[in-house]
């Protein structure tokens, strides 16, 4: 028996980093996915296979995940451990992870992998509710990234367009905007935890400025939610560009990112970093009927693609 689940990646439209300090973020899931396939094996091991590497440990060693050399694998072992324990089984499992999402560039590949793996491993026993999946996926991610806000795993599970904050969690934005974005990848791979740590240090050194930026971010997000409901793309684009200025101030942009942003802004409604920054990707909001100009200009200087909002979220067969 095989249990297959897939979960989408994401882009953050507004509020990355600030969401960790209680500000609302706005994000949507995208049309690229992670697919996880789980099955029982005869050996008493948990084996994980992915394009980024392969790792296996004996079921008895699942209590010592610090020993797992490839740190990014720990959340998956954590998920397997919890589910095997809850179902009182010592049977081994193999989990294969396939990805359509580039890793380490802010497009939500780690969270989507945790969501897909949680649903897929659980499917070997019984189906979990989406709320249960997201809870375990966030817990797993926090084994290597403690400050994780939970925004990425939530959108990957529920899909669509939503706001997220630490207090109220996931709130769907009631509109089915057919937005088009160009994603452009600086190919500067980042480590989200490191960038989040740098922002914390910036905050500690610049408390007053950081508080002012948080207030401004809050206004941007409120206006953005109104613009989304009214489908006012001009306004939305200029709010995105303004949000990028704030991200620059907290130190998460790079020269390469700013080159991409300036190029995008020539023809798009607006552009900004998406995700942790420190490299990674930018998003540019473009008109549905005119994606070509921005796309052609950006792909001359970096790997770029067009994306749409995915309204399906976690899929489980
Ligand atoms: C990463 O996609 C978004 C951050 O805000 C981290 C988080 O929310 O956990 C940088």
């Amino acid at each position: 028996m095989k249990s297959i689940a897939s979960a989408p990646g994401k882009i953050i439209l507004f509020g990355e980093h600030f969401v960790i300090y209680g500000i609302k973020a706005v994000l949507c899931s995208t049309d690229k996915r992670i697919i996880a396939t789980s099955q029982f094996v005869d050996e008493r091991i948990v084996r994980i296979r992915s394009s980024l590497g392969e790792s296996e440990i004996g079921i008895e060693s699942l209590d010592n995940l610090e020993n797992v050399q490839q740190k990014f694998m720990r959340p998956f072992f954590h998920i397997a451990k919890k589910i095997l324990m809850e179902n009182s089984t010592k049977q081994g499992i193999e989990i294969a992870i396939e990805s359509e999402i580039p890793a380490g560039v802010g497009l939500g590949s780690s969270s989507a992998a945790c969501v897909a793996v949680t649903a897929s491993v659980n499917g070997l026993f019984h189906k979990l509710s989406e709320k249960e999946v997201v809870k375990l996926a966030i817990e797993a991610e926090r084994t290597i990234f403690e400050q994780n806000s939970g925004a990425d795993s939530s959108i990957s599970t529920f899909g669509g367009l939503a706001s997220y904050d630490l207090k109220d969690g996931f709130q769907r934005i009631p509109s089915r905007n057919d937005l088009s974005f160009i994603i452009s990848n600086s190919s500067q791979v980042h480590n989200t935890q490191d960038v989040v740590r740098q922002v914390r240090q910036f905050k500690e050194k610049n408390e007053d400025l950081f508080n002012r930026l948080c207030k401004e971010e809050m206004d941007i997000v409120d206006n953005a939610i109104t613009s989304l409901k009214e489908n006012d793309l001009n306004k939305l684009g200029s709010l995105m560009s303004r949000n990028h200025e704030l991200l620059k101030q907290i130190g998460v942009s790079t020269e390469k990112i700013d080159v991409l942003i300036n190029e995008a802004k020539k023809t798009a409604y607006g552009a900004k970093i998406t995700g942790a920054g420190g490299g990674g990707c930018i998003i540019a909001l473009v008109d549905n009927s005119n994606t070509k100009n921005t796309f052609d200009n950006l792909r001359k200087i970096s790997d770029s693609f067009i994306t749409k909002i995915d309204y399906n979220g976690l899929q489980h067969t």
Side-chain angles (χ1 to χ4, degrees), residues 10 12 15-20 25 27 106-108 111 141-142 145 147-152 164 166 190 192 195-196 199 274-277:
K10 65 89 193 32
I12 299 189
E16 49 275 269
H17 289 291
F18 295 99
V19 66
I20 290 176
L27 62 174
L107 300 179
S111 300
E141 274 211 275
R142 287 190 177 145
F145 171 24
Q147 274 194 289
N148 186 311
S149 69
D152 294 7
Y164 181 91
L166 292 177
H190 64 213
T192 301
V195 189
V196 166
V199 172
T274 189

Side-chain angles (χ1 to χ4, degrees), residues 241 244-245 253 256-266 270-273 281-283 298 301:
S241 299
H244 185 71
E245 292 305 315
S253 196
K256 173 98 191 266
I257 287 286
D258 288 333
V259 168
L260 298 178
I261 298 276
N262 290 336
E263 190 58 44
K265 275 167 51 181
K266 289 179 188 162
K272 65 180 274 294
I273 278 177
C281 290
I282 68 147
I283 48 168
L298 283 171
I301 49 177

Side-chain angles (χ1 to χ4, degrees), residues 73-85:
M73 293 276 193
R74 286 184 201 164
F76 311 134
F77 286 117
H78 177 84
I79 291 165
K81 175 176 90 176
K82 286 291 282 249
I83 296 173
L84 293 179
M85 268 168 55

